[in-house]
Amino acid sequence: MEKEAAVESSDRTEAIEAVRKLLVDGDSLDRRTACRILGDLANPGDALLLVAALRDADINVCVEAAQALGRIGDCAVIAPLLETLYTNPSGEVKIAVLEALISLGGKRVVPHLMGLVKNRPDDMVFEEGDTRDSWLGIQRIAVEALGRMGASEAVPVLVAILEEYQGGEDAEAEVLTALARIGGASEAELIKRLTAGTARERQCAAHALGKASSAAGLHALAGALGDGEDDVRAAAIEALALRRAGRYTAAILALIKDPVPYVRRAALRAVADLADVAEVNGDELIALIGDDNPQVRAAKPRRRTRLNNGDLG
């Protein structure tokens, strides 16, 4: 038995050595495959080989090498990954490297992410004609990562760029979502926008607060159910349903008489979604089941629920 184990161990060692050799001497497909295998094996001893592969002439190999380093999780490679992020002109490679940094660096990379969100570094190299698109992709990934990490130190940077973000409405929504995920004092900015912003700002803030966790955010969303803008009311309904805010079901139910069909549809979906956390009488929804608008009648809950006392037909 011991002999068999020794033979098996020897065979495995030889196989791994063969993979390492392929990374150095193989063709581009071999090198890509070798990166994937070494990343799956997650041996920190292979990190230097993979760092060297970040400079491969084939950008697909560079991408695979970055992804493998992210899986290995050796924080010693943060510096060469950052160097590659700045010096490799390929947008695809930059994205793979940034994702690797986020996965293995954690809080260690927060200052770097904040820098990327705030300004495009003058010394970052891009492919000719691709600066803006690649940069916006990098910036958005950094924003999302800061939110996911709950990086409270990034709140001033995120708030500061809201007014000057050139990435469009979707990009603004991503910043607001990041603030919601960070929580704490950052939610105050969202609530301020929901209560005093433009119609678009209020709608974006409502969507973002659906990913927050504070009672103050829920209270603000409940107030937005009475907003004069149809899109804001619909966004507030959806956010409250996402937050599983069953205590506001009655307020949402009141909107089954809203004059706007898609607001009524949002109310129907939300009430059905909240039926397992709130007392909902199915009879109260009959008006919506017989709604004149086919889109309202066709609305389906996002989760399977059972309505109290209600067989709606």
Side-chain angles (χ1 to χ4, degrees):
M1 183 70 70
E2 291 181 1
K3 183 177 180 180
E4 291 177 356
V7 170
E8 183 178 340
S9 176
S10 176
D11 290 345
R12 176 181 171 83
T13 300
E14 289 179 8
I16 294 173
E17 285 301 324
V19 171
R20 291 168 178 155
K21 190 172 187 304
L22 281 177
L23 181 54
V24 177
D25 299 330
D27 61 24
S28 61
L29 181 58
D30 288 336
R31 299 196 303 276
R32 290 165 60 186
T33 302
C35 286
R36 284 196 295 270
I37 293 172
L38 294 177
D40 290 340
L41 292 173
N43 181 356
D46 292 321
L48 289 179
L49 271 176
L50 291 165
V51 165
L54 291 173
R55 298 185 291 274
D56 197 283
D58 186 331
I59 65 169
N60 293 312
V61 176
C62 300
V63 169
E64 294 284 0
Q67 292 172 344
L69 286 167
R71 294 198 297 278
I72 286 177
D74 184 356
C75 291
V77 302
I78 289 178
L81 282 170
L82 282 169
E83 180 185 358
T84 303
L85 177 65
Y86 277 73
T87 60
N88 192 307
S90 166
E92 188 177 356
V93 173
K94 288 183 185 297
I95 295 300
V97 166
L98 181 57
E99 290 174 343
L101 282 166
I102 291 166
S103 67
L104 67 85
K107 287 289 187 178
R108 295 178 183 85
V109 301
V110 166
H112 299 290
L113 296 176
M114 290 169 59
L116 292 172
V117 166
K118 190 173 183 179
N119 294 301
R120 183 177 76 83
D122 293 334
D123 55 346
M124 183 175 282
V125 179
F126 291 90
E127 291 177 317
E128 186 176 354
D130 187 38
T131 302
R132 178 174 170 80
D133 289 343
S134 292
W135 167 243
L136 288 178
I138 290 169
Q139 196 176 39
R140 289 181 180 187
I141 290 172
V143 166
E144 193 277 336
L146 289 170
R148 192 172 66 247
M149 292 175 180
S152 58
E153 60 268 49
V155 170
V157 172
L158 294 172
V159 171
I161 67 172
L162 276 174
E163 299 301 330
E164 60 190 55
Y165 208 157
Q166 301 300 311
E169 293 182 17
D170 290 342
E172 181 187 33
E174 289 163 3
V175 176
L176 292 171
T177 297
L179 288 170
R181 286 175 171 158
I182 291 171
S186 65
E187 277 190 62
E189 176 65 23
L190 301 178
I191 293 171
K192 181 177 78 173
R193 284 179 165 249
L194 180 59
T195 56
T198 65
R200 182 178 60 78
E201 288 173 342
R202 299 199 304 278
Q203 181 185 3
C204 288
H207 281 303
L209 284 168
K211 300 177 180 69
S213 58
S214 75
L218 284 178
H219 183 74
L221 285 169
L225 294 176
D227 196 282
E229 289 290 333
D230 309 336
D231 288 340
V232 178
R233 295 197 302 282
I237 292 169
E238 292 167 359
L240 287 167
L242 187 63
R243 293 280 300 270
R244 311 292 291 139
R247 62 178 169 154
Y248 294 106
T249 302
I252 295 172
L253 264 174
L255 292 176
I256 65 174
K257 297 179 181 179
D258 194 279
V260 180
Y262 67 82
V263 176
R264 299 199 300 275
R265 183 183 185 188
L268 173 59
R269 276 185 167 175
V271 171
D273 284 345
L274 293 171
D276 58 344
V277 293
E279 289 294 323
V280 179
N281 191 319
D283 293 338
E284 295 178 287
L285 302 181
I286 294 297
L288 278 172
I289 299 304
D291 196 283
D292 291 337
N293 187 284
Q295 290 186 336
V296 177
R297 294 197 303 272
K300 293 181 174 62
R302 293 178 176 81
R303 64 178 72 227
R304 295 189 63 177
T305 60
R306 283 171 46 185
L307 296 175
N308 295 327
N309 196 31
D311 179 1
L312 299 184

